[in-house]
Amino acid sequence: MRLGALYTYWVPLGFVLAVTIIREAVEEIRCYVRDKDVNSQVYSRLTARGTIKVKSSSIQVGDLIIVEKNQRVPADMIFLRTSEKNGSCFLRTDQLDGETDWKLRLPVACTQRLPTAADLLQIRAHVYAEEPNIDIHNFVGTFNREDSDPPISESLSIENALWAGTIIASGTVVGVVIYTGRELRSVMNTSNPRSKIGLFDLEVNCLTKILFGALVVVSLVMVALQHFAGRWYLQIIRFLLLFSNIIPISLRVNLDMGKIVYSWVIRRDSKIPGTVVRSSTIPEQLGRISYLLTDKTGTLTQNEMVFKRLHLGTVAYGLDSMDEVQSHIFSVYTQQSQEPPAQKGPTVTTKVRRTMSSRVHEAVKAIALCHNVTPVYESDGVTDQAEAEKQYEDSCRVYQASSPDEDESTGEITFYMKGADVVMAGIVQYNDWLEEECGNMAREGLRVLVVAKKSLAEEQYQDFEARYVQAKLSVYDRSLKVATVIESLEMEMELLCLTGVEDQLQADVRPTLETLRNAGIKVWMLTGDKLETATCTAKNAHLVTRNQDIHIFQLVTNRGGAHLELNAFRRKHDCALVISGDSLEVCLKYYEYEFMELACQCPAVVCCRCAPTQKAQIVRLLQERTGKLTCAVGDGGNDVSMIQEADCGVGVEGKEGKQASLAADFSITQFKHLGRLLMVHGRNSYKRSAALSQFVIHRSLCISTMQAVFSSVFYFASVPLYQGFLIIGYSTIYTMFPVFSLVLDKDVKSEVAMLYPELYKDLLKGRPLSYKTFLIWVLISIYQGSTIMYGALLLFESEFVHIVAISFTSLILTELLMVALTIQTWHWLMTVAELLSLACYIASLVFLHEFIDVYFIATLSFLWKVSVITLVSCLPLYVLKYLRRRFSPPSYSKLTS
């Protein structure tokens, strides 16, 4: 029953499995080590026995944890105490929400008043916290101290919460843990990472299934031609083993080793320094991306704003006239210092026209006060608040700020407010220039901020404060009640000025986006930022070209509104879409198919106010609806879900840390590197793997065709043509290196691929590896296998050993020549591989006397017969290739000629 030596079957299979398992194991071990490092970080826990050290993985709900400055918060906590004298601390939240400005956090008032941190263990108190949810911007809870007289109850909001993943930027804080593990806000906003299998691998698997079907059919045909004589079912098994070469076992090894080479080439590319390949299983995906989904903050922009315009209605100041603003403010303060003290008693005030200086002063004062700004002193790049008491040198002072919508001023009570023009238009008093000037500044790609103020009487403020405190203590519908109270102030405000600022773009964002567009890739920008900000950035980055209209999808809350807006959008053509996350949610709920159909036709889509889970949902919908490959790129912890969900995730290492880059399949240091990663490395990886896989299939089908011809000629006998080492050697030392050298092949130089991104478009149709190309290679294999075998039989020298010698030598030479025919750009390693393989075969003939007659191969008869057979099997294909290049050249050949 056994056909040939047993090792000819299990050695190739064992080698394939070993290579695959080792490669997967290396990546898993790297991931495990990274996770262990994070989970093993040590923190201090406050206990009755003093402070003890604890690993972050051992922290539990109810623990009192001390977090030092520049340490990452290990769990979701309520802020109880800080070492800062001002009774507050700043957080860096970039890994959570993608924003780099520092956020102000306030401790619970009654615990901050305690003399020492150890006193926290002496009080009797409990915390009420809402159920775990994904909202990172809001929190509802209460802190109740029961051992005081009377009992103290304080409301807890987002200002008192320290979410896991944020970093303490000032002082040392103590917090009580309220959520851990899967209940963490950051964890609930990330999806479970999936093991990504490339589309290319799925296509190869499909072709392998077809080959398996062919194996079964050929075996059945052979037995049928014997008229199912005798123990025909055993004959079927013998033929299945005999033709098992139809299924190319070495294909998996070649492709896996090819992926390792592609990863190495990407890492070694000096044009994209710092690029890391974290998942070596899907480099071919980079060559077939149809949709790119990108974050805005830190990815397209630098997280830095440049002040461009101050507009007061009648006059505007730009960067070139800021000295005028300075002189106006200087004159106001000079006049104030020279004025005599005000006389007591009633004074007659007349309605005096305010001077330009006073208007500029009022506007600049509002801009300055409408912030929470803290001076921080840095020495050698390390922030140190204690430096404030030692020195006041401007060189080491920096300002850090969060950006709330109110602040108090001394003297009279003034309510300052800033916001987007669409919101502020209904809040400020009527004027005739706001809308027009906002439109003008928006067209220039500037983000517009409207600044207004309102003077309050003491009674008005006291009434507001009482209602505000009461609303903040509410457990149910707190945010709605607080918003209602605040809205009572936000009316009939005095318009002070408009400010225009511009997002600083990352280097070469515009040419990179243009390259991607020309390559046939549609770009969607998904951001947590406001609609106005997102629209301005889309224009500024040329995500939306100048000749394209922008349709801003109005806010909808119900099915009817969504239906009307979709109809309005349907009437527009070649129009970019801007939509908010809330409106998107409604559209997807009622009209998912219709909305996705319209959105996919847009040249560009901008989704603003997107939650992390919503970003992932959009990626998933694109994959399901279009069946095309998606690539997601981002730089913050809020982009992790999107990166993991996409077919190909790219993380940008930037100001927002490494969370996105560690979760991604590919990590880059700048957005502009994405162009080369896709146009050059993605394109090459896909084309090389396509050529390699089809050649390995051709190699297997050739020898299987020869076996089929041999069995047919000898009355359908299940006798092997080649045995033992010949079978193993054929796919390893004799042809492996030349075939594998195809992973170094390229059709055009990298500079040409970058200059003509249109070349990338050809790959989106999947032509390098298709049923058509597969069929062509099958026909080539059948032709060459038949030619070699019939040629050897025709020139038969009356001994079976001579058939083996002639056919096997012709087969090896044919494979080497076919590799040379397939190569488009020669590399010196390819030449070495060809010559080395030929030398190995000639040298090994001495040891193959069991299968090949050594004396026969030294004769002139052997040489001319092998030469004729090889020529007949290869020459027609060379002629066909020449004619095709002559009369129907591929697009890339026009650029290389």
Side-chain angles (χ1 to χ4, degrees):
M1 174 67 188
R2 196 171 78 185
L3 296 171
L6 196 61
Y7 71 88
T8 60
Y9 298 100
W10 65 259
V11 167
L13 183 61
F15 183 64
V16 170
L17 292 174
V19 169
T20 305
I21 289 168
I22 289 169
R23 185 178 58 76
E24 293 283 351
V26 168
E27 290 188 1
E28 286 296 324
I29 289 167
R30 283 177 184 165
C31 187
Y32 170 77
V33 169
R34 289 200 304 265
D35 289 347
K36 193 171 182 181
D37 286 343
V38 174
N39 291 330
S40 299
Q41 289 178 358
V42 176
Y43 292 85
S44 297
R45 185 170 70 195
L46 205 58
T47 68
R49 302 191 304 276
T51 58
I52 61 171
K53 298 296 181 183
V54 60
K55 287 184 179 179
S56 57
S57 56
S58 303
I59 291 173
Q60 297 178 342
V61 172
D63 287 351
L64 293 173
I65 302 296
I66 300 169
V67 187
E68 305 287 344
K69 180 182 169 184
N70 289 330
Q71 243 188 338
R72 194 170 291 281
V73 178
D76 289 352
M77 305 194 299
I78 296 299
F79 184 15
L80 299 179
R81 277 185 65 80
T82 177
S83 62
E84 292 287 89
K85 291 180 181 177
N86 59 7
S88 64
C89 87
F90 277 96
L91 284 183
R92 295 208 297 271
T93 63
D94 43 31
Q95 287 298 306
L96 191 67
D97 58 12
E99 296 179 9
T100 52
D101 61 327
W102 291 9
K103 306 293 192 300
L104 183 70
R105 291 293 182 263
L106 303 172
V108 176
C110 69
T111 51
Q112 178 65 22
R113 287 194 295 267
L114 294 172
T116 65
D119 291 324
L120 287 169
L121 297 164
Q122 309 303 320
I123 66 172
R124 192 169 78 251
H126 73 267
V127 172
Y128 163 80
E130 64 183 351
E131 287 186 357
N133 61 69
I134 64 172
D135 189 353
I136 59 173
H137 300 293
N138 294 292
F139 173 72
V140 174
T142 54
F143 183 92
N144 300 289
R145 184 173 175 185
E146 298 160 356
D147 59 349
S148 63
D149 192 21
I152 297 172
S153 182
E154 288 189 39
S155 72
L156 300 177
S157 67
I158 188 65
E159 288 182 337
N160 313 111
L162 307 174
W163 298 143
T166 57
I167 295 174
I168 302 298
S170 60
T172 300
V173 307
V174 181
V176 59
V177 176
I178 54 171
Y179 308 123
T180 60
R182 295 182 182 275
E183 295 181 347
L184 294 175
R185 286 290 205 271
S186 55
V187 173
M188 293 183 81
N189 272 287
T190 56
S191 53
N192 291 324
R194 61 190 178 95
S195 184
K196 295 182 182 178
I197 301 172
L199 176 61
F200 179 83
D201 291 319
L202 295 174
E203 289 172 344
V204 169
N205 288 348
C206 188
L207 296 182
T208 307
K209 291 172 186 173
I210 293 171
L211 291 172
F212 176 76
L215 168 63
V216 174
V217 169
V218 170
S219 301
L220 287 170
V221 166
M222 285 293 178
V223 175
L225 290 171
Q226 290 180 341
H227 306 292
F228 295 98
R231 299 165 74 182
W232 58 269
Y233 47 88
L234 290 179
Q235 284 295 330
I236 288 177
I237 296 173
R238 284 179 66 87
F239 277 118
L240 285 172
L241 291 172
L242 202 58
F243 294 122
S244 60
N245 282 315
I246 289 177
I247 300 173
I249 295 175
S250 60
L251 177 58
R252 189 75 267 153
V253 173
N254 278 283
L255 288 177
D256 282 354
M257 290 171 68
K259 293 173 195 287
I260 294 169
V261 172
Y262 308 146
S263 303
W264 183 81
V265 170
I266 292 171
R267 283 197 296 267
R268 298 275 296 177
D269 189 347
S270 59
K271 299 276 181 71
I272 49 172
T275 301
V276 179
V277 180
R278 301 199 188 281
S279 175
S280 63
T281 56
I282 54 170
E284 297 91 356
Q285 301 276 75
L286 292 170
R288 307 173 70 180
I289 301 300
S290 294
Y291 289 91
L292 177 77
L293 301 105
T294 176
D295 177 41
K296 179 189 79 70
T297 312
T299 305
L300 297 180
T301 63
Q302 295 181 13
N303 289 342
E304 291 176 4
M305 308 296 294
V306 177
F307 191 90
K308 291 277 189 179
R309 192 77 49 82
L310 176 66
H311 208 296
L312 300 172
T314 54
V315 65
Y317 297 98
L319 283 176
D320 55 348
S321 54
M322 281 298 153
D323 53 338
E324 290 183 44
V325 175
Q326 189 176 0
S327 64
H328 279 309
I329 295 169
F330 184 77
S331 67
V332 168
Y333 282 105
T334 307
Q335 290 167 10
Q336 285 178 354
S337 61
Q338 292 174 352
E339 284 177 5
Q343 298 293 319
K344 290 185 179 179
T347 57
V348 179
T349 58
T350 56
K351 202 169 186 180
V352 180
R353 179 179 172 272
R354 283 191 295 174
T355 64
M356 183 55 65
S357 292
S358 65
R359 287 182 64 196
V360 171
H361 168 249
E362 194 65 41
V364 172
K365 183 172 74 172
I367 295 168
L369 288 175
C370 207
H371 283 283
N372 261 334
V373 181
T374 297
V376 176
Y377 295 83
E378 291 188 348
S379 178
D380 296 326
V382 179
T383 310
D384 190 354
Q385 200 71 19
E387 290 286 323
E389 298 174 5
K390 297 178 184 176
Q391 59 186 41
Y392 273 89
E393 295 180 11
D394 285 340
S395 60
C396 63
R397 184 194 303 135
V398 294
Y399 294 97
Q400 289 294 347
S402 62
S403 185
D405 283 335
E406 67 274 346
D407 216 330
E408 294 178 2
S409 176
T410 55
E412 65 175 3
I413 300 170
T414 307
F415 172 48
Y416 288 107
M417 184 175 178
K418 66 182 190 301
D421 54 318
V422 288
V423 177
M424 297 295 288
I427 292 172
V428 298
Q429 295 166 351
Y430 174 77
N431 62 85
D432 57 359
W433 59 274
L434 174 63
E435 186 177 346
E436 183 183 352
E437 293 304 333
C438 283
N440 292 337
M441 289 164 77
R443 276 188 287 275
E444 292 179 44
L446 299 178
R447 284 171 60 176
V448 184
L449 203 64
V450 180
V451 184
K453 77 166 191 176
K454 184 179 188 179
S455 296
L456 300 177
E458 181 70 30
E459 299 79 21
Q460 279 181 293
Y461 177 72
Q462 294 297 341
D463 174 56
F464 163 76
E465 188 180 35
R467 289 185 292 121
Y468 185 68
V469 170
Q470 189 65 37
K472 283 187 73 176
L473 278 171
S474 174
V475 172
Y476 301 104
D477 296 328
R478 178 187 294 177
S479 56
L480 183 66
K481 290 175 182 174
V482 169
T484 304
V485 173
I486 293 173
E487 279 175 11
S488 66
L489 280 186
E490 295 173 350
M491 55 180 68
E492 290 299 306
M493 296 187 73
E494 179 187 349
L495 175 61
L496 294 176
C497 66
L498 307 180
T499 63
V501 293
E502 186 178 74
D503 253 323
Q504 282 290 85
L505 295 176
Q506 295 282 6
D508 295 327
V509 160
R510 289 168 183 162
T512 301
L513 289 174
E514 187 177 351
T515 297
L516 296 172
R517 267 201 306 271
N518 291 337
I521 300 172
K522 290 188 177 180
V523 183
W524 289 32
M525 187 172 83
L526 313 180
T527 176
D529 229 322
K530 298 173 185 172
L531 185 140
E532 296 77 23
T533 310
T535 308
C536 282
T537 304
K539 290 177 182 174
N540 196 17
H542 295 176
L543 178 67
V544 178
T545 58
R546 295 197 181 279
N547 57 353
Q548 283 173 347
D549 290 331
I550 297 178
H551 178 82
I552 296 178
F553 208 91
Q554 298 301 314
L555 185 66
V556 294
T557 55
N558 54 48
R559 183 171 191 150
H563 182 72
L564 291 172
E565 270 301 302
L566 282 171
N567 282 342
F569 179 49
R570 187 178 279 111
R571 289 192 287 270
K572 299 191 176 181
H573 300 284
D574 193 37
C575 182
L577 172 67
V578 179
I579 186 169
S580 69
D582 292 338
S583 298
L584 179 68
E585 192 95 14
V586 175
C587 289
L588 294 178
K589 183 178 179 182
Y590 297 111
Y591 299 105
E592 182 184 297
Y593 179 81
E594 291 84 351
F595 174 80
M596 291 304 296
E597 186 182 28
L598 289 172
C600 290
Q601 293 170 5
C602 292
V605 175
V606 177
C607 297
C608 55
R609 284 295 186 216
C610 267
T613 49
Q614 207 168 25
K615 290 184 177 184
Q617 182 192 15
I618 293 168
V619 174
R620 196 159 49 247
L621 281 170
L622 265 178
Q623 291 167 339
E624 291 170 0
R625 291 293 174 196
T626 65
K628 304 286 179 65
L629 291 186
T630 58
C631 175
V633 56
D635 69 325
N638 58 327
D639 302 315
V640 169
S641 293
M642 169 176 78
I643 285 170
Q644 290 177 337
E645 188 63 44
D647 297 296
C648 198
V650 179
V652 183
E653 278 192 27
K655 292 183 179 178
E656 296 184 20
K658 293 188 174 183
Q659 196 169 335
S661 71
L662 288 174
D665 305 304
F666 302 89
S667 170
I668 55 179
T669 55
Q670 295 182 58
F671 181 82
K672 67 176 181 180
H673 293 169
L674 189 65
R676 187 173 177 87
L677 191 65
L678 299 182
M679 300 301 117
V680 177
H681 295 290
R683 186 172 180 275
N684 283 345
S685 298
Y686 176 43
K687 294 203 77 171
R688 287 165 175 174
S689 283
L692 178 64
S693 59
Q694 291 178 134
F695 206 94
V696 172
I697 289 171
H698 159 263
R699 186 176 65 182
S700 299
L701 284 175
C702 252
I703 198 167
S704 299
T705 302
M706 292 171 68
Q707 177 65 59
V709 171
F710 178 76
S711 294
S712 301
V713 169
F714 290 97
Y715 309 104
F716 311 107
S718 54
V719 178
L721 173 60
Y722 304 127
Q723 293 193 25
F725 186 77
L726 288 183
I727 286 286
I728 298 263
Y730 170 66
S731 57
T732 54
I733 61 170
Y734 299 148
T735 60
M736 185 178 75
F737 295 113
V739 170
F740 187 68
S741 71
L742 290 171
V743 300
L744 301 172
D745 193 19
K746 58 183 177 184
D747 54 359
V748 293
K749 292 180 180 178
S750 56
E751 293 78 16
V752 176
M754 288 298 293
L755 192 60
Y756 297 98
E758 291 81 4
L759 289 171
Y760 190 89
K761 269 186 186 176
D762 293 342
L763 307 188
L764 300 182
K765 297 168 184 173
R767 285 175 178 166
L769 180 70
S770 62
Y771 290 119
K772 179 184 174 182
T773 57
F774 171 69
L775 183 61
I776 290 170
W777 276 102
V778 168
L779 294 174
I780 290 171
S781 305
I782 293 171
Y783 166 74
Q784 290 187 323
S786 303
T787 301
I788 294 168
M789 199 63 238
Y790 278 118
L793 290 169
L794 192 66
L795 305 172
F796 178 44
E797 293 257 344
S798 75
E799 286 189 41
F800 173 70
V801 75
H802 290 180
I803 295 178
V804 171
I806 293 170
S807 63
F808 194 74
T809 306
S810 300
L811 178 62
I812 298 297
L813 291 174
T814 297
E815 289 300 320
L816 297 180
L817 286 171
M818 284 300 292
V819 169
L821 176 69
T822 306
I823 289 171
Q824 291 163 327
T825 306
W826 281 88
H827 188 283
W828 66 270
L829 281 172
M830 296 172 172
T831 309
V832 170
E834 290 267 274
L835 296 175
L836 183 65
S837 296
L838 185 60
C840 284
Y841 178 62
I842 294 169
S844 68
L845 288 174
V846 180
F847 308 102
L848 297 176
H849 52 80
E850 182 187 345
F851 313 107
I852 296 174
D853 185 350
V854 181
Y855 297 104
F856 173 66
I857 61 174
T859 63
L860 194 63
S861 172
F862 169 79
L863 291 174
W864 79 258
K865 289 173 181 176
V866 166
S867 300
V868 167
I869 292 170
T870 306
L871 203 63
V872 172
S873 70
C874 292
L875 188 61
L877 296 172
Y878 271 83
V879 172
L880 286 171
K881 182 180 181 181
Y882 170 77
L883 292 173
R884 182 170 176 268
R885 295 275 295 198
R886 182 81 173 79
F887 297 107
S888 179
S891 54
Y892 63 82
S893 66
K894 299 167 189 172
L895 302 174
T896 55
S897 57

